[in-house]
Every structure is written in structure tokens, then in C-alpha cells.
Amino acid sequence: MPGEGKPSLNALALPLVERLEAEAERLGAHVIRMPSGATVVDLGVEAPGGLEAGLRLVEICMGGLGRASLSWLNIGGLVLPAVSVFTDAPALATLGAQMAGWKLELSGRIVLGSGPARALVRKPKRIYRALGHEEEPSAIAILALEADELPDDAFLRSVAELCGIEPSELHVLVASLRSPAGVIQVVGRAVEACLLKLLNLDIDVLSVRSALGLTPLPPPHPDPDVCMGRVNDAILYGSIVHLWADVDDDTAKLMAEKAPSCTSSAYGKPFLTIYEEAGRDFYAIDPAIFAPAQVVVSSLKSGRSYVAGELNEELITSSFGISTS
């Protein structure tokens, strides 16, 4: 972890935000200075955004403690584009910043906030208690939203007040799930999904020293429900997460066995089907399904590695609308 003590996630991410704003035109983004002084960066609502904008968004959401790139993933002989994410501060980068854990209301609809600003408001509090992280008081706040519309000044003023900062020091990055950047932001969360599942199983996530996740990148779709189904299927049935943990063999084996999505009774169905069967209520879905398809845990104490789960070629091919000849 860079620096001494506990880092300010917002301060670490600020240079990445400033660089993104400086290069916005090239990245297909729009920078909007609002009357309140807040800055909105449109990465895929009215702006086209793009692949690089999405990768930048992932790194900002991780509080500057992770890196994202594009790669390739072989699923049953089918080579698909993929998003690769790694971090050497996995619990803080993913659960402390990247997790979409702040419920906000925008124009009467619930939107989920992620990014370093969450640490200022401690949303949800149990995460920060588990991490033992107290965000240093910050003059700036950086929030990312998955939304189909841009926030207005009333929303921005409210967020700034909750964060304890002036609106002029608030940066809000917005991408629709139907945009390339929005898709990349979600499929870049495989490590986060893995660690959240382990945390919910009362496994010490602070023992994980490094993590790498690789998730297939779904093609876009004009129907928001199909998009939502594809990004979830990409993680649940197509992602691989490798953890390096300072644990003994028994714990490493347990982590590998408990972490994959196949431990859920809902496993094997397309996510849209799971969602419909739950009455379109995310909170009625078995939380064990929200996890990578395959997990590898390497014990730093013994040098042994344990693998559980597998990639589901048939479901990924069907979900992504891929026809092979």
C-alpha cells in the first residue's frame, strides 16, 4: 500500500481524475462544470465514451490502488476480449472504493454510487469497520454513478454536503450500462465480487495481499435488461479471480471452495432468469451467486494453490449472442 498509514482514497484517485478530464475529448468524454462549481464527467450518457474511458473509470473507482487493461480470455476454445484488473491492496481498493455500495436517488430513481467518495460517508458502514479504514478528511470527493442520465445541481449539492466538502470540489463520473465505459466498469468488479463474498462468509479479506481478475467483455445491446444480464453473466459464468493470501493451506482451500458462484443454488441459469424469478428484486436473489466463475487461491505460507469453479462456455455464448459456425 503506497505511503505510510492509511491512504486517502480520494487524494490517491484525484490525479487520475484530473488526467481524465484533461484528455476528455480524445476519450470521447464530456466535462461539464455545473453552476454549483461541481464537475460532472460524462463517460457514456450523452457522450460516446469508449474502451479506454472505461478502463480509466475502473482505476478511478479503485481509488488509484488498482490497474485495468484489455486482454483476451479463452472460454472453451472461444477467444473473447476481456477486462483484466489487478491490485496489491485488494480489500481497500475493491470493497473500500470500487464497490457500488452507496444508494442515492436521482430524479426519483435509485442509482448506485461507487468510488472513493463512499469512504467519506462510510457506505455501508460494516465494510469500513471490517477494513479498519478511516478516510482522512478530504477537501475533494470523487464519485462514480451507473446511470442513464446526468445529475443536476440539486443532486450534486446534496452529495457534496454528505461528503462534507464544497460542491466545487466534487467530481462525479457517470456512465450508462449501455455504453462501453459502463460495461467495462461493471465487468471490472470480479475481484470485488470475490472479496465481498468471502467477507460475507466471515473470512479475513485483509489476508489477501494481491489479486487479479479476468472477465470476458460482453458486446453492447440496446436493451438495458439484456445489458444488465450480460455483464452479470460475464462475472458469474466467465470470470477468473486469482488471490494471493497470507493464510495456511486449510484456509486457502476453504477460500477457493467457498468463493465461486457455483456454490449458489441459483447457479446455471442466465442472470436475467434469476432476476425475473426474484421478482426483479436484487435483494431477493441468493447473494452467493454474486461471485466469479472460477477462483484460485495461492497460500503465501506454503506456496500451494487451490482452484474451484469453472467457466461456463455454453451460458456465456448464449448470453453474449454469439453464433459460431
Side-chain angles (χ1 to χ4, degrees):
M1 194 176 295
E4 295 182 357
K6 295 176 180 178
S8 165
L9 295 166
N10 287 277
L12 286 172
L14 182 59
L16 302 182
V17 174
E18 291 175 334
R19 182 183 169 207
L20 171 65
E21 292 174 2
E23 299 178 8
E25 184 176 357
R26 180 180 70 79
L27 297 171
H30 297 161
V31 177
I32 307 160
R33 309 293 180 187
M34 301 294 286
S36 64
T39 301
V40 173
V41 184
D42 178 0
L43 296 167
V45 178
E46 297 171 5
L51 299 177
E52 186 175 350
L55 296 173
R56 300 279 192 95
L57 181 56
V58 171
E59 294 184 351
I60 290 167
C61 284
M62 296 178 77
L65 292 172
R67 295 293 177 263
S69 62
L70 293 179
S71 185
W72 298 97
L73 180 59
N74 189 320
I75 300 181
L78 188 65
V79 181
L80 298 175
V83 176
S84 174
V85 173
F86 73 89
T87 171
D88 290 318
L92 187 57
T94 62
L95 300 181
Q98 187 185 27
M99 176 183 170
W102 188 1
K103 289 184 184 178
L104 293 158
E105 186 175 314
L106 176 61
S107 300
R109 295 183 178 182
I110 297 297
V111 295
L112 295 177
S114 58
R118 279 185 45 240
L120 292 170
V121 294
R122 298 178 68 80
K123 297 287 186 178
K125 288 184 173 59
R126 72 177 183 93
I127 294 293
Y128 295 95
R129 285 196 297 267
L131 297 178
H133 179 73
E134 291 280 351
E135 181 78 350
E136 295 177 5
S138 176
I140 53 101
I142 299 162
L143 179 70
L145 296 176
E146 180 189 312
D148 291 324
E149 63 179 290
L150 299 175
D152 58 20
D153 242 355
F155 176 91
L156 297 168
R157 290 180 187 277
S158 173
V159 168
E161 183 178 358
L162 291 168
C163 291
I165 62 164
E166 293 297 320
S168 59
E169 301 302 327
L170 175 64
H171 301 258
V172 178
L173 292 72
V174 192
S176 166
L177 189 54
R178 286 175 284 179
S179 69
V183 170
I184 286 178
Q185 180 194 225
V186 176
V187 300
R189 294 178 185 163
V191 172
E192 179 253 303
C194 187
L195 292 190
L196 181 59
K197 185 168 181 179
L198 292 175
L199 179 67
N200 289 338
L201 292 168
D202 294 323
I203 293 173
D204 180 17
V205 295
L206 294 176
S207 68
V208 182
R209 302 296 185 227
S210 299
L212 186 149
L214 187 61
T215 308
L217 179 62
H221 196 282
D223 185 324
D225 280 350
V226 174
C227 266
M228 184 266 291
R230 285 181 174 182
V231 296
N232 280 282
D233 287 337
I235 293 176
L236 310 188
Y237 300 111
S239 68
I240 304 169
V241 167
H242 196 132
L243 308 178
W244 288 263
D246 189 16
V247 296
D248 58 27
D249 284 346
D250 288 343
T251 304
K253 185 172 184 288
L254 176 69
M255 290 167 71
E257 290 174 346
K258 296 289 188 181
S261 57
C262 60
T263 61
S264 169
S265 59
Y267 180 86
K269 300 176 183 178
F271 185 77
L272 267 183
T273 300
I274 296 171
Y275 182 57
E276 294 290 349
E277 289 179 350
R280 300 178 72 85
D281 178 1
F282 275 99
Y283 297 97
I285 297 171
D286 176 16
I289 193 66
F290 295 106
Q294 186 175 79
V295 176
V296 184
V297 181
S298 294
S299 165
L300 295 176
K301 293 183 181 295
S302 72
R304 297 185 181 90
S305 298
Y306 300 87
V307 185
E310 63 182 2
L311 307 187
N312 191 323
E313 175 194 3
E314 182 178 352
L315 203 148
I316 288 295
T317 303
S318 174
S319 175
F320 287 15
I322 298 173
S323 298
T324 59
S325 56

